[in-house]
Amino acid sequence: SFLRACIGTELPFLLLSAANMASSESEEDDQEEPDMPLPPPPAVASRKQRMSVSAEAFGDWNQRVVFEPPVYPKTPDQVMELMEVTSRSFLFNSLENKDLQVVISAMKGPLFLEPGVRLIQEGDDGDHLYVITDGAMDCIKVIDGIEMVVKTCVKGDAFGELALLYNGPRAASVQSREASTLWELDRATFNNIVMEGVQRKRSQCLAVLERVPMFSNMTRGELESIIDALKIEKHPYGSVIIQQGDVGEHFYIVYDGQVVASKVSDECPEGQSYVHEAGDYFGELALLHDAPRAATVVASSEETCLLSMDRATFNRVMGQAHSYLEDHTDRYA
């Protein structure tokens, strides 16, 4: 009948109509009855086109399947190495320890790549992300018709997550710069275990960066690129983060908590102190001027959470902010 033919295309309307008719059937006998009872809704067909996780609806007729993550055997040394690497990663830092263990168990590998192997092609669909435990991988984008290396991922970095986070095509090609060792995580495990925490962490990090004046003129895409380059560090109260006079290799943004920077000089032998709180930054002078650390910085809250990037990443992704940083070096005066 016409009613049966419509069920596939008008399912939401028919479900609502069915519910309304069932609830009023005994009280409103004078209403027109349907020619035939409505059949139960058809089984949901598998989707060929990916949908975002938040778009999925679950109910009596569409039950959420209990997720069973894959388990790949690993040696104790491999588990320890992956725990160490992922604990510093922005992607996995938001996970509870038990969830992190599940994710590590679900990682497939190790995958060994010779130099010059293209693992990901820009524009392709993506169903996996990768964690590097050795070597280096170049991220390559086509710009004005020419392939250009826009980022190099090294040990401890993860890549390939953007296609999983946003259900979009690969944003860049990824190719091994040197012999590399990787571990692979599938989309289903990422969606069920990692996704919610990552999205929450990225939103919180974006909110912190948007409060930092030097990022105020950057686009959302540029801020996302900076977030992708950041690593999370946690320091207990009293720990020394940088030491005056040392060689500087990292730039820091305070994500949570606070630090105290102390500077001793001939002009001020008793020392000067500066407090940096959430949204503030430090460590840029040594990178801008290729000079020793100008101050000692110590964590001054119970636990201080920092966002950090190394010198190479700082020079690559902070180009727009360099002039701002140079213009504001007098904030330490």
Side-chain angles (χ1 to χ4, degrees), residues 222-298:
E222 289 166 340
L223 289 177
E224 293 279 2
S225 296
I226 291 174
I227 290 173
D228 292 335
L230 293 170
K231 293 184 178 179
I232 290 182
E233 299 182 14
K234 293 183 178 180
H235 298 271
Y237 176 83
S239 61
V240 177
I241 300 162
I242 61 177
Q243 182 72 50
Q244 183 173 351
D246 285 354
V247 175
E249 293 297 339
H250 291 83
F251 168 71
Y252 299 92
I253 299 171
V254 182
Y255 181 76
D256 190 35
Q258 68 176 23
V259 300
V260 173
S262 302
K263 179 180 180 179
V264 177
S265 63
D266 293 338
E267 295 79 12
C268 189
E270 70 277 8
Q272 298 171 282
S273 295
Y274 313 88
V275 175
H276 299 303
E277 299 181 320
D280 207 348
Y281 61 88
F282 63 93
E284 78 284 3
L285 296 180
L287 306 189
L288 288 171
H289 304 148
D290 198 22
R293 292 297 194 188
T296 296
V297 179
V298 178

Side-chain angles (χ1 to χ4, degrees), residues 181-196:
T181 305
L182 313 176
W183 293 80
E184 178 184 85
L185 184 68
D186 64 282
R187 174 185 287 273
T189 303
F190 181 83
N191 283 349
N192 282 274
I193 308 296
V194 186
M195 172 79 83
E196 182 179 350

Side-chain angles (χ1 to χ4, degrees), residues 64-268:
R64 184 189 292 274
V65 177
V66 176
F67 175 67
E68 292 290 342
V71 176
Y72 296 99
K74 297 171 181 67
T75 67
D77 286 345
Q78 288 173 332
V79 171
M80 186 177 301
E81 181 176 37
L82 286 170
M83 286 289 287
E84 180 183 352
V85 166
T86 54
S87 66
R88 299 196 307 267
S89 168
F90 181 87
L91 266 181
F92 304 108
N93 188 266
S94 61
L95 295 178
E96 299 284 343
N97 189 60
K98 61 182 180 61
D99 289 331
L100 183 58
Q101 291 177 2
V102 171
V103 168
I104 288 173
S105 295
M107 287 184 176
K108 183 179 180 180
L111 311 177
F112 300 104
L113 301 183
E114 295 298 320
V117 175
R118 182 155 296 195
L119 183 65
I120 290 175
Q121 182 64 45
E122 182 177 358
D124 284 356
D125 290 336
D127 287 309
H128 300 86
L129 67 82
Y130 301 88
V131 174
I132 305 173
T133 53
D134 193 31
M137 304 290 293
D138 285 334
C139 300
I140 303 166
K141 286 186 69 69
V142 176
I143 301 175
D144 296 330
I146 301 174
E147 286 194 336
M148 299 183 64
V149 176
V150 294
K151 178 182 179 182
T152 299
C153 297
V154 296
K155 180 177 179 178
D157 289 339
F159 63 90
E161 77 282 2
L162 295 182
L164 309 188
L165 276 171
Y166 303 118
N167 287 309
R170 294 295 193 186
S173 300
V174 183
Q175 182 170 307
S176 53
R177 173 183 285 253
E178 57 191 55
S180 301
T181 305
L182 313 176
W183 293 80
E184 178 184 85
L185 184 68
D186 64 282
R187 174 185 287 273
T189 303
F190 181 83
N191 283 349
N192 282 274
I193 308 296
V194 186
M195 172 79 83
E196 182 179 350
V198 170
Q199 289 179 326
R200 181 176 62 252
K201 203 79 168 184
R202 287 180 76 90
S203 296
Q204 292 170 346
C205 187
L206 187 62
V208 170
L209 294 188
E210 286 175 339
R211 297 200 304 268
V212 180
M214 67 177 164
F215 298 130
S216 60
N217 293 325
M218 291 189 179
T219 66
R220 173 70 175 262
E222 289 166 340
L223 289 177
E224 293 279 2
S225 296
I226 291 174
I227 290 173
D228 292 335
L230 293 170
K231 293 184 178 179
I232 290 182
E233 299 182 14
K234 293 183 178 180
H235 298 271
Y237 176 83
S239 61
V240 177
I241 300 162
I242 61 177
Q243 182 72 50
Q244 183 173 351
D246 285 354
V247 175
E249 293 297 339
H250 291 83
F251 168 71
Y252 299 92
I253 299 171
V254 182
Y255 181 76
D256 190 35
Q258 68 176 23
V259 300
V260 173
S262 302
K263 179 180 180 179
V264 177
S265 63
D266 293 338
E267 295 79 12
C268 189

